[in-house]
Amino acid sequence: MPGAAKRIAFIPGDGIGIDVTREALKCLEALRAARGTLLRCEVFDYGAERYLRDGTTLPPGEMERFRDEFHAIFLGALGDPRIPDMAHGRDILLAMRFGLDLYVNLRPVRLFFDRLTPLRGRTTQDIDFVVFRENTEGLYAGVGGFFKKGTPDEVAVNQDINTRKGVERIIRAAFEFARARGKRRVCMSDKSNVLRFAHDLWQRVFHEVAREFPDIEATHLYVDVLAMQMVRAPNQFDVIVTCNMFGDIVSDLGASLVGGLGLAASANLHPGRTSLFEPVHGSAPKHAGKDVANPMAAILTAALMLEHIGLPDDAAVVEGAVRRAIAEGKTTRDLGGELGTRAVGDYVASLIRAS
Ligand code: NAD
Ligand code: IPM
Ligand code: MN
């Protein structure tokens, strides 16, 4: 691993991923200017343009190079209407989640200001939880196939892969996080009333692991009820742990409770290893290149990344700057402001520089 400077691989990717990554980089540069934070940011052009131009998704050996030579990877977003099957997304994003064994997809759902939630009467006290999404198996494993494709008798199968090891490590990570952060409750969400094999495993493992954490209250909700309760009474949650597909869905719902996808950050982690950080949102092609996307999710993702690579004070400065910009109404339109993507990035960077 390199010496003092933290080396970070940036993949802006596609659509608004490019717009928002530019602003995240701007904020990290401001951090260097203000605090001397040593970061070596290198930008890689993997994404739809490159794939369409020369067929490259992630070159052989690149993932291993990121793993061995970089402290973190930052991804803007992937997704392009010209590649409807998302082939490059599987090769870049999903391949790194699986290949680097980033089994925790951590997605904070935290309300910064009362006025940002669409839930009537709810305050910042009520909405502050974290989703622990399993990130290396489930329906995302890509196991399946077609039979008699294109005929009237076609069969299409995607297998839901749940391993003892995979289920246990995400559940344990959720409990360990709760304990380390002084959180009282872990809620596991599944559909064990229907998925009688796969989610029976989740039930058994959850109860077993919960016994190791008697200081943490272990609760369970079926995922349909979870969706309802997240809206009805989000104050009951500290940590939610769930499978890959359910976690994908509830993380967008969670984002909508706290101001939308323009504020939602996420981390793909394997504790102790080089991990991947990305906003929850996608490439939103209709907003791409128009200076309208909210860069705050990407900037908050950069803060999450700084925290995880051992720079918590720098992370706090970046998050504080975003909070202040929101408080002052220096935001894009999705948050009620009038600024463009670049102007928001400039403003947040100026607050960091003045810190
Ligand atoms: P999306 O998250 O890109 O956008 C949905 C809507 O949310 C947008 O139309 C926009 O109104 C809003 N939005 C999202 N991010 C915003 C931001 N930063 N600022 C303001 N508004 C924002 O989801 P989609 O439209 O379903 O997907 C578009 C493409 O992105 C697809 O190809 C999808 O597969 C891909 N995708 C990629 C990732 C990723 O790379 N991590 C995540 C989700 C979706
Ligand atoms: C996310 C995205 C991805 C997922 C897609 C782009 C593969 O929606 O990171 O939430 O489903 O995990
Ligand atoms: Mn998603």
Side-chain angles (χ1 to χ4, degrees):
M1 292 297 264
K6 304 281 188 187
R7 195 173 175 200
I8 302 163
F10 279 81
I11 305 174
D14 306 330
I16 65 165
I18 296 169
D19 307 340
V20 300
T21 302
R22 188 186 301 121
E23 305 313 315
L25 278 162
K26 198 183 271 177
C27 290
L28 294 177
E29 171 54 28
L31 210 48
R32 195 194 57 74
R35 300 168 52 84
T37 309
L38 288 174
L39 299 170
R40 243 175 86 196
C41 301
E42 293 169 48
V43 178
F44 295 83
D45 69 350
Y46 306 129
E49 282 304 332
R50 175 80 186 267
Y51 175 60
L52 292 169
R53 188 167 73 241
D54 66 11
T56 302
T57 53
L58 201 58
E62 195 68 335
M63 179 161 64
E64 291 74 15
R65 197 163 75 87
F66 289 158
R67 181 192 64 202
D68 298 338
E69 297 176 17
F70 288 76
H71 291 88
I73 307 158
F74 182 104
L75 176 73
L78 293 168
D80 187 297
R82 292 169 297 175
I83 311 171
D85 67 355
M86 193 63 168
H88 69 309
R90 274 195 306 280
D91 276 15
I92 301 171
L93 174 59
L94 295 182
M96 285 200 282
R97 285 181 185 168
F98 296 151
L100 299 175
D101 202 27
L102 306 175
Y103 63 92
V104 175
N105 194 334
L106 184 154
R107 297 185 152 182
V109 178
R110 192 160 35 124
L111 184 62
F112 285 155
F113 297 99
D114 296 353
R115 67 181 159 80
L116 293 177
T117 185
L119 301 182
R120 186 165 17 100
R122 291 295 175 190
T123 71
T124 53
Q125 303 291 311
D126 296 318
I127 314 178
D128 182 5
F129 60 90
V130 178
V131 175
F132 269 64
R133 167 191 181 191
E134 200 294 318
N135 211 30
T136 48
E137 48 186 60
L139 280 165
Y140 279 70
V143 177
F146 298 109
F147 180 49
K148 301 185 182 177
K149 189 176 180 186
T151 76
D153 297 326
E154 175 162 352
V155 179
V157 176
N158 270 92
Q159 303 267 22
D160 183 12
I161 305 299
N162 293 260
T163 67
R164 168 81 206 195
K165 172 181 155 188
V167 174
E168 187 175 333
R169 65 184 182 174
I170 185 67
I171 289 175
R172 179 162 281 111
F175 276 102
E176 280 169 355
F177 177 88
R179 183 176 274 171
R181 301 292 173 106
K183 306 260 189 188
R184 284 190 302 113
R185 302 163 294 193
V186 172
C187 176
M188 191 275 276
S189 188
D190 63 18
K191 194 71 186 168
S192 48
N193 48 351
V194 177
L195 305 179
R196 288 183 39 239
F197 312 112
H199 288 190
D200 182 76
L201 176 62
W202 278 77
Q203 282 286 328
R204 282 180 284 122
V205 173
F206 182 62
H207 288 113
E208 207 177 295
V209 175
R211 278 200 290 279
E212 296 170 29
F213 296 84
D215 47 321
I216 310 287
E217 187 187 332
T219 61
H220 169 262
L221 290 175
Y222 296 124
V223 71
D224 45 355
V225 180
L226 172 71
M228 190 258 298
Q229 291 292 359
M230 280 174 64
V231 174
R232 204 190 64 80
N235 50 325
Q236 71 191 275
F237 300 114
D238 288 330
V239 178
I240 294 171
V241 61
T242 191
C243 65
N244 207 337
M245 181 61 84
F246 296 167
D248 179 44
I249 298 165
V250 303
S251 51
D252 277 33
L253 173 58
S256 77
L257 303 181
V258 295
L261 286 170
L263 286 179
S266 92
N268 301 266
L269 306 171
H270 185 127
R273 297 199 197 164
T274 299
S275 295
L276 168 70
F277 299 81
E278 48 166 355
V280 174
H281 67 72
S283 60
K286 70 173 189 277
H287 297 317
K290 294 185 182 154
D291 199 40
V292 296
N294 186 349
M296 285 173 167
I299 297 169
L300 290 167
T301 296
L304 201 54
M305 176 178 78
L306 292 168
E307 189 187 325
H308 279 271
I309 60 175
L311 299 170
D313 297 343
D314 297 273
V317 166
V318 173
E319 189 189 305
V322 170
R323 278 177 184 267
R324 188 158 152 211
I326 298 171
E328 294 175 8
K330 304 285 191 195
T331 69
T332 43
R333 290 184 181 278
D334 54 308
L335 295 185
E338 288 178 348
L339 300 184
T341 310
R342 288 171 193 268
V344 169
D346 287 343
Y347 194 70
V348 175
S350 75
L351 293 176
I352 294 170
R353 241 179 269 107
S355 66

